Amino acid sequence: MKSTSAVEKGNKPHQQAPKQTAHSSNLSAEALYKKLKESLDRTGNINHPETKKIEKSYMMTLSIDQLHLYNDMKLKALLPDGSPKKRTCGTCGRKESSDQKAYRLKYQEIAETVNAASGGGLSREKSDKEVDPYSLFYQWVFGTGKAVRNFDENSKMGNQFLNIEEIYYGIEKLVDSYIDKGTRTRDVSRNNPEKFNTGNQWLDDKTYMADALSNIITNPTSTFHGSFNATARIIKVDHGNLVDTYTVRVTCTDHMGATSGTRNPPVKGKYSGKATIPNNYYGPNGYMRTIQVNYNLTTKIHKAAISRQVSNLFK
C-alpha cells in the first residue's frame, strides 16, 4: 500500500493557493478610473487616442453589470462627439425681478409640457444633423446641450432654413439678377421690424403673433429664428444646352439669446425695445444661455437655358 507523503497530506487546494491581497482588482480599477478622469480633463474628449486607450484598460477591469452602469453614466455625461456635457447652473445665484422670474417660469412650463408630450424627446441630446427647433428651444430654456451648433443642407435645421420664404425667394431673385446683371451676392436677411415677414406692418401685437406663429408646424425653424442676417452667393454656374444649374451657398450666424426672446414684439418695442432678460443673464451655463447657430448651406437652382440666351440678346 502506497503511503501518502507529508506534502501530499497537506496538499489541499484552498490552502495551497496563494493568498490574494484584499480587492486587488478593485484597487486596479480605482487607479485606472483616476487616470481616465485625469486624461479626460486634459484632452476634453473620450475619443482622444490617449483617453480612449486608458478607457479600454479601465473597462477590462469591470464586470458585465459594471460595464452597463459605466456606459449608462457615459451617455448621460458626454455629448455624441465624446466631449463632456456642460452642467447647467440654473439661475446661478442671480437675483430676479418679478418680470424676469415670470418670463423664465413661463418658458420653462412651455418647454416641459412639450417635452412631456414628446416622451422626453426634447431633453435628449441630438447631433447637429438631427436636432430640431423644438429641442433647441428646450436647450435654450434650461441651458443644456451645446452652446454652438453648425448646420449644413443635410441637417433638419439647414433643410428648413433653405425653405424660409426670405431665403427661398431671395435665392430665386439672386439667380435672376445674375442672368440679367451678373450679380453673384444678395442679402437674404429678415430683420426689418416694419416688414418683418409678410411685407406689411403689423397693426397690433395680436396680428404680429398670429403671423410669427403661422408656420410653426410647416417650418418651425422660421418661427424659432424670427429675424436673422443671411447672405446668398453663387459659387458655381454650369451652362447646358437646355438647363443651366446655379450652385448657391447660403451663410448665416444667428445668436439665440434671451434679449430677443424677452423683448417686446416689433409693434411695441421695435428693435430698440428693452428686453426683460439680457443675454446670458444667468451665466453661460445657466437658464436661457445664448446658443450660436451657424449655417453653411449649399443648394442648386435650375433654370431653362433659354432665359440666359434671351437675356444675352439685349446686353
Side-chain angles (χ1 to χ4, degrees), residues 171-179 234 246 248 301 303:
I171 292 175
E172 290 284 345
K173 290 178 181 177
L174 171 61
V175 172
D176 290 341
S177 183
Y178 175 83
I179 294 172
I234 295 176
Y246 302 85
V248 180
I301 302 296
K303 291 278 187 179

Side-chain angles (χ1 to χ4, degrees), residues 31 136 225 304:
L136 286 182
H225 275 281

Side-chain angles (χ1 to χ4, degrees), residues 103 107 190 192-198 200-215 222-227 259-271:
Y103 254 107
Y107 279 127
R190 183 170 70 188
N192 188 326
E194 293 185 356
K195 297 181 180 178
F196 186 81
N197 187 27
T198 62
N200 300 308
Q201 186 174 7
W202 292 292
L203 300 178
D204 53 38
D205 292 345
K206 185 177 181 180
T207 308
Y208 161 75
M209 291 304 296
D211 185 67
L213 297 173
S214 62
N215 53 11
S222 178
T223 301
F224 177 75
H225 275 281
S227 62
T259 295
S260 176
T262 64
R263 182 169 45 209
N264 283 332
V267 175
K268 283 186 176 179
K270 303 299 183 188
Y271 278 83

